[in-house]
Structures are given as C-alpha cells and as structure tokens.
Amino acid sequence: MLYLGIDYGTCNIKTALYDSNLKLKFHGVIEGIKKMNLSNEQGSDVLPHIAYIGKEKIVLSNRQQSPRSYFAVSGIKRHFEEKEWKTYVPTRNREMSAMEIAEEEFKWIRDRFVENYGEPPEKVILTVPVSFSELQKKRIKSSAENAGLSVSNIVTEPFASIFTQYQLFSEEIKKTSHILVFDFGGGTLDMSIFRITPPSENENLPIIETLASTGINFGGNNITELIRKKLIEDQYGDKLNEIINNQFRHDILDDTNIPDSDKAVDSENYNRNFKAIRNKILNILDKDINSFKEEICNDSTYDDDYEPHDFMPENLMDLDDLGITLSYTELEEIISSSGINEKICESLDNLINQAEILANNVKKIMLIGGTSKIPCFRNVLKNYFNDTIAEEHKNFEEEYQDFFDTSESEEWDSEPFEFLDLNNDDKFNAVALGATIYLRYNNDAFRTKNRLSYEIGTLQDGEYRRLKTLSDIYGEWTIRATVKPEKTDDGRLCVKLYQVFNSSEYEVMPENLIYMGYFDLDSSIYSGDKYYSMQIMVDNNSTVYGEFYELQRGIDNASPITEPLTITLEV
C-alpha cells in the first residue's frame, strides 16, 4: 500500500510517503511514514517550485536547467484563481495556463514516483492554503487527476501539519488542549486553532478539531520584494540603471532578431532587453536576499547589532560598486513598515473570538514554514499572547468566566503557553508529512472534526444571504433558507453560491464575494417563479451538496424534491 502526500507550495514542493512495507517509525511513533526525495538529487528533500519547461516535458530540479533548452516559470500557484491567466513559453512557442503547467508538474511527480516504486501511489492527498477557494481547489485537483494521480483528499496546510505532533494526542495525554498553528510560507500566512480531546469512555480515540482558521495573502516572497524595493528601487535604482547601460550595453543590443543597422535605434527592443537583463540581476539579488533571511533564521544569537550583510550577487561582481548592505534591524523595520505585524494581531483577535476560547487556552504554538523562522514574528506572537492573557486575567471574574470555557475548573489556568520548537526538517516538511499521516491514520489512530474557514451564501434580490457560516463542521447540513432560482443567459434554472473569507457578522460587501458555482435545476421539476427551501452540506472532500424542498404557505415540506444535487464548479 503506497500513499503520497504533496505540499504544493508557492516556493517549494515537498512530498511524503506512506509505505505499508516500511517498518521505520516517524518520530518513533507512527509506522510507515517518511519524507521523499523525488528528484533523486543528493540532499534534495525540498524542490524549488520552478517549472523548467522544455520542448516536450517539464523538469523540477534543485539544479538550474539550461536556458537554451528550458524556460523557467515560478509562482504559478498564485494564478489558479485567474481563469484567463497564461504565460508565453518560448520553448513551446505558445501560451500555457497555470492548470496546464501544474498538470505537467504533477505528471513529473507521478513519473518519479513510479521510477522509485514501480507503480503509482494508490491514494494522493494535496494541501492548499486556508484562503484557497473551492474553485482553486477544483483546478489544482483536476490538474493532478489529469496527470494520472488518484486524489483522495484536499486539506489546508495548517490542518495537515498538526498531525506531525502525534505526541500531543497520544494515549498519555489526559487533558484537553488547544494549539495554534502559525504557518508562514513563501506565498501565504495561515493560522488555525485546534482543540485536542483525549480518549474518553464514549470515544476510544483522541479527537482533533479545527476551531477556527484564517489566511493572509502575504508571505516570504512579499518580504523579499519589500527588501529589494528598499535596497534597489528606492536607494540605488538610478545607479543600477547606469551600470546596466554602461556594462551590459553589448548584451542589451545583442539580439539576433534585430538587423545590425537597426540595433542602436530600435528603442522597443532595447527597452525589452534592458528590462530582461535588469530582471535577471534582480532575480539573482532575490536569491541573495533569501540567503540572508535564512542566515538570520538559523542564527540563534542574533541581536539588534547583527552584522550588516553585504550583497554581492553571484556572477555579477560588477554590481559590487553599489555597496548594498542590510542589517537585521533594517530587515525588522522593513517588515514592520509593511503592516503585517498589525495584521497578524488583528487576525489572532478574530481567530480567538471565532473559536470561542480565551488566548489563555492556547498553551502551545507551532511555527512552520520558512518565513516563520524570522525571529521578529516569534516576538510578535509572544508579545500578543503575553499582553492579551494579562488583559484576560485582569477581567476574568467579571467579563469572561460566564461566557467561555476557560478550563476544566472555574479557576484561572496559570500554565504558561510555549512554542513547539521543531527542528528545521520538521518546519519545512510538516505539511507533507502530516497530510500523509492524516490520509493513512484518520479513524484508525484519531478522529477529526474539520471546520470551514469561509462562509457560503447566495444572492437573493441583490442581497447576500448566509447559508453556511465560519466554523460550520464539514459533513453537517445547514439549517434551511428560502431561495428563488434564477435564469441563466441560456435559459437554464440555477441557484448560484458564493464564498466569503474573513467575514464578520456585519453586511458583506459585493467585492468580498467569490463566485463558487451553481446548482443546476431541472426546469421540468423546478420553476423560476417559485421560492424553495434549501439546505447545503460540504463533505470532507469539499464537495458541496444541496437539497431543495417545496414551500407551502411558508412551511417547507419534510422530504426533499429530489436526491441531493452536487454543485457545478466552472473550472
């Protein structure tokens, strides 16, 4: 039995395996789980998410491929929400969509798996950010399935990662606990609060329950862009342009598609080549910036007087004249100026309120993702919980005790919170490993209750109506709501659904609605002139079902009109 977990990240792709013949125990506890090295390159457990697109195939590799034979494309995960997005690929002499590129990437993964194990995986689980819409999930799933992978589940990245901490819900744990997963990767920041309930007389397995989740579209790539803007565009932009014009002029003019007589005067091609060389230089600088971030993260002795880093882009020593330096204090100031620290605290407020617990209930904080290793984010979390818990303690007797489950007793729980100090390996591979553990051991070693990280609603007479709210449990039907079908341009009857992320109890603005899909109604059964009662359910694979009931004098009948309908997603 072979299962594959894929953490399809913005910056990196990580994979993990369950092999029923493998007796090795992950962390000495869970049998058959291990991280994978699909590329077969030494020391290469993590693949940079860069698709090297050749004439006939795509290659994923730690090693840069020849630009003559392969065209490099990165960041396609961010384009799954854009149906019309395409990029021109010179090696194919055509445009390719994000789904096309992803399909070939998954095919490469499948082929490497077969090379290693002689057969494709029996089951595959994919992970996505909390803020991924159902349409984005459908597109990534379709890409994997079109590549020949059998996708059993799609789960969020924080949900997957919690299962690597198996010791937290082992039989030795006797007390209900709450854990915050802080997953700060290259493209997004996701946060989830989980409640772990130990086995009891009525339940012989621990229960891992998602209480609340939120996602922010800000990651390590954004920090790199901010650093680059401050270092280059704001301070050295003119000087860099001067160096490019003087030292790379020959390369700018050297375009075999332009006749020699036209090279000096063809401003369009000159500007195009100038931009290409400038981007190449900035991309090299990005790698140096990322190396500096890693250096900071791996140095536990850092302080405000951290020695400034001298950027000397590889293979472009001519740029040393710029004299670019960056200290840790400057890095912290750049991050602070982005407003992300305030956004983290605001999101934590909403998350804790949504979970209906106190900050004091959260006793463990799990940091995963490369960006979470930047020390200032640990400090933001530490300061937030210290300050919030102090305020909660102050107001405990008069304000909170009657409304929230603060502890098993009525006394203030003085146990301090702590950070789960994962090693670097676990921080980078927790999502893929945890997803694989969940795929194999759910309902065998533990049970789960996963909750929605978004709302679902419909538009009726131009007004948004909630059908499912934040934190509703997967697999449970909603209460019924009254809806009226609408006619499509081609005359069909349907009820359209929308998703809303990070909403509140107040009015939802139209710009916050994300179109989800529709229920296609048989016009021989349903009428566009009548109102119906409807309820929906989202299963553990994110498939949305709907049931419709007749209304008579405002009272809905007990039996649905037809069998449950499945939502149509317009991929």
Side-chain angles (χ1 to χ4, degrees):
M1 190 186 305
L2 297 169
Y3 295 167
L4 177 64
I6 303 175
D7 175 10
Y8 189 75
T10 303
C11 298
N12 298 290
I13 296 175
K14 284 86 72 178
T15 52
L17 167 77
Y18 168 74
D19 182 352
S20 57
N21 295 319
L22 183 67
K23 301 307 177 186
L24 176 70
K25 292 187 177 181
F26 175 71
H27 284 213
V29 179
I30 305 175
E31 193 170 274
I33 302 289
K34 71 171 186 176
K35 61 186 180 181
M36 293 189 64
N37 178 353
L38 282 178
S39 71
N40 294 327
E41 295 170 356
Q42 187 174 2
S44 175
D45 297 320
V46 176
L47 278 172
H49 195 166
I50 301 173
Y52 294 101
I53 306 175
K55 189 174 181 179
E56 297 180 352
K57 65 179 182 179
I58 276 181
V59 172
L60 299 174
S61 176
N62 269 316
R63 302 190 183 102
Q64 184 172 337
Q65 304 298 299
S66 167
R68 293 174 179 267
S69 304
Y70 293 93
F71 180 72
V73 177
S74 60
I76 67 158
K77 183 178 174 182
R78 288 186 167 185
H79 298 294
F80 271 95
E81 63 187 58
E82 305 167 46
K83 186 176 181 179
E84 305 302 323
W85 182 89
K86 291 185 177 181
T87 185
Y88 178 73
V89 179
T91 50
R92 301 281 177 94
N93 194 29
R94 67 180 180 88
E95 292 184 331
M96 294 183 72
S97 69
M99 285 186 66
E100 286 180 289
I101 295 171
E103 180 179 329
E104 291 200 36
E105 288 179 330
F106 285 121
K107 187 177 186 303
W108 182 92
I109 291 172
R110 182 187 183 278
D111 290 345
R112 297 293 81 71
F113 192 98
V114 172
E115 283 179 12
N116 284 307
Y117 296 98
E119 59 181 315
E122 183 179 328
K123 293 182 180 180
V124 173
I125 184 169
L126 302 175
T127 65
V128 296
V130 167
S131 57
F132 248 40
S133 68
E134 293 305 318
L135 196 57
Q136 288 171 292
K137 292 178 186 177
K138 176 66 175 177
R139 287 173 179 165
I140 194 172
K141 182 181 181 184
S142 296
S143 297
E145 290 177 335
N146 290 340
L149 293 173
S150 178
V151 180
S152 297
N153 298 82
I154 295 182
V155 297
T156 66
E157 291 155 4
F159 178 78
S161 66
I162 194 70
F163 298 101
T164 61
Q165 302 306 300
Y166 188 76
Q167 71 277 8
L168 298 179
F169 40 93
S170 66
E171 293 181 0
E172 299 176 2
I173 304 300
K174 303 298 182 185
K175 182 181 177 182
T176 297
S177 61
H178 297 84
I179 300 172
L180 168 70
V181 173
F182 184 85
D183 179 4
F184 209 162
T188 56
L189 166 59
D190 290 341
M191 292 180 279
S192 293
I193 293 177
F194 298 91
R195 176 164 57 212
I196 298 176
T197 306
S200 63
E201 291 182 4
N202 299 324
E203 176 56 72
N204 63 344
L205 294 176
I207 298 174
I208 297 90
E209 183 178 359
T210 311
L211 294 184
S213 296
T214 189
I216 302 172
N217 288 318
F218 185 95
N221 286 349
N222 300 95
I223 295 173
T224 297
E225 290 169 7
L226 289 170
I227 295 171
R228 188 174 75 179
K229 183 178 186 302
K230 180 176 178 62
L231 292 178
I232 297 296
E233 296 176 23
D234 293 353
Q235 297 186 44
Y236 302 100
D238 292 341
K239 193 171 183 179
L240 175 63
N241 293 342
E242 182 183 337
I243 290 175
I244 294 174
N245 275 315
N246 293 337
Q247 299 186 13
F248 297 94
R249 185 174 180 81
H250 174 75
D251 297 307
I252 296 172
L253 297 178
D254 187 16
D255 190 324
T256 55
N257 296 320
I258 306 173
D260 289 344
S261 59
D262 295 338
K263 284 182 179 178
V265 296
D266 193 326
S267 60
E268 181 179 345
N269 283 284
Y270 184 95
N271 291 336
R272 183 194 66 194
N273 293 345
F274 177 91
K275 183 179 179 181
I277 290 176
R278 192 176 194 274
N279 285 340
K280 179 181 178 182
I281 292 170
L282 294 178
N283 286 337
I284 292 174
L285 185 63
D286 280 354
K287 293 180 181 178
D288 212 31
I289 292 170
N290 288 330
S291 296
F292 170 58
K293 289 196 298 183
E294 290 178 16
E295 185 181 324
I296 285 285
C297 294
N298 293 325
D299 186 350
S300 60
T301 63
Y302 88 95
D303 55 34
D304 288 343
D305 296 322
Y306 195 91
E307 182 178 351
H309 186 85
D310 186 17
F311 290 101
M312 296 172 61
E314 182 183 355
N315 299 326
L316 285 168
M317 302 302 289
D318 313 66
L319 296 182
D320 193 33
D321 295 338
L322 288 174
I324 303 172
T325 62
L326 179 70
S327 68
Y328 177 76
T329 300
E330 290 172 316
L331 170 64
E332 208 170 36
E333 290 172 354
I334 291 172
I335 292 173
S336 178
S337 67
S338 72
I340 185 60
N341 294 343
E342 290 80 7
K343 185 66 175 176
I344 289 171
C345 294
E346 178 186 336
S347 297
L348 285 169
D349 281 340
N350 294 334
L351 203 63
I352 289 168
N353 287 334
Q354 184 184 326
E356 296 186 337
I357 62 171
L358 297 176
N360 188 53
N361 289 124
V362 178
K363 298 303 182 184
K364 297 185 187 299
I365 301 173
M366 179 179 172
L367 304 180
I368 62 171
T371 310
S372 72
K373 294 169 63 182
I374 298 177
C376 63
F377 294 119
R378 188 183 183 109
N379 290 335
V380 169
L381 291 171
K382 185 187 297 183
N383 292 336
Y384 173 86
F385 277 94
N386 282 335
D387 293 346
T388 306
I389 290 171
E391 186 66 21
E392 288 175 350
H393 194 186
K394 177 181 175 183
N395 299 317
F396 175 66
E397 291 292 338
E398 57 188 78
E399 191 171 343
Y400 287 103
Q401 193 172 19
D402 293 336
F403 298 99
F404 294 102
D405 175 20
T406 56
S407 68
E408 294 181 356
S409 69
E410 294 185 356
E411 305 218 351
W412 180 260
D413 186 351
S414 59
E415 178 188 350
F417 69 88
E418 63 176 345
F419 289 93
L420 293 172
D421 288 317
L422 310 181
N423 59 44
N424 286 341
D425 207 30
D426 283 352
K427 277 187 180 179
F428 281 108
N429 293 285
V431 173
L433 287 165
T436 311
I437 292 169
Y438 169 76
L439 181 62
R440 167 59 186 86
Y441 287 102
N442 186 34
N443 292 326
D444 284 346
F446 47 78
R447 301 198 196 284
T448 57
K449 286 185 180 179
N450 202 359
R451 296 176 183 267
L452 294 175
S453 57
Y454 52 84
E455 287 187 356
I456 300 176
T458 183
L459 286 176
Q460 296 290 307
D461 299 323
E463 180 181 330
Y464 173 73
R465 295 184 185 177
R466 289 179 174 86
L467 298 172
K468 259 191 175 299
T469 60
L470 288 168
S471 295
D472 275 359
I473 296 175
Y474 282 89
E476 293 186 357
W477 289 93
T478 60
I479 59 173
R480 298 178 190 178
T482 302
V483 297
K484 183 179 182 182
E486 61 180 281
K487 286 188 178 181
T488 61
D489 293 338
D490 57 3
R492 292 182 295 112
L493 286 178
C494 70
V495 172
K496 294 180 179 179
L497 297 185
Y498 298 85
Q499 285 179 269
V500 182
F501 288 92
N502 301 325
S503 69
S504 67
E505 293 300 318
Y506 301 103
E507 180 181 1
V508 174
M509 304 304 293
E511 59 267 22
N512 294 328
L513 297 178
I514 301 172
Y515 178 59
M516 190 175 187
Y518 62 92
F519 291 115
D520 197 359
L521 304 181
D522 187 340
S523 58
S524 67
I525 300 175
Y526 298 90
S527 169
D529 297 324
K530 292 174 61 177
Y531 284 89
Y532 298 89
S533 177
M534 181 182 76
Q535 63 180 3
I536 63 172
M537 183 265 287
V538 184
D539 71 8
N540 287 322
N541 291 321
S542 294
T543 303
V544 184
Y545 298 93
E547 288 186 335
F548 292 81
Y549 299 79
E550 292 279 5
L551 276 174
Q552 293 180 348
R553 295 181 181 178
I555 301 174
D556 48 335
N557 288 346
S559 300
I561 298 171
T562 64
E563 293 294 316
L565 303 177
T566 303
I567 193 172
T568 299
L569 298 174
E570 296 178 339
V571 176

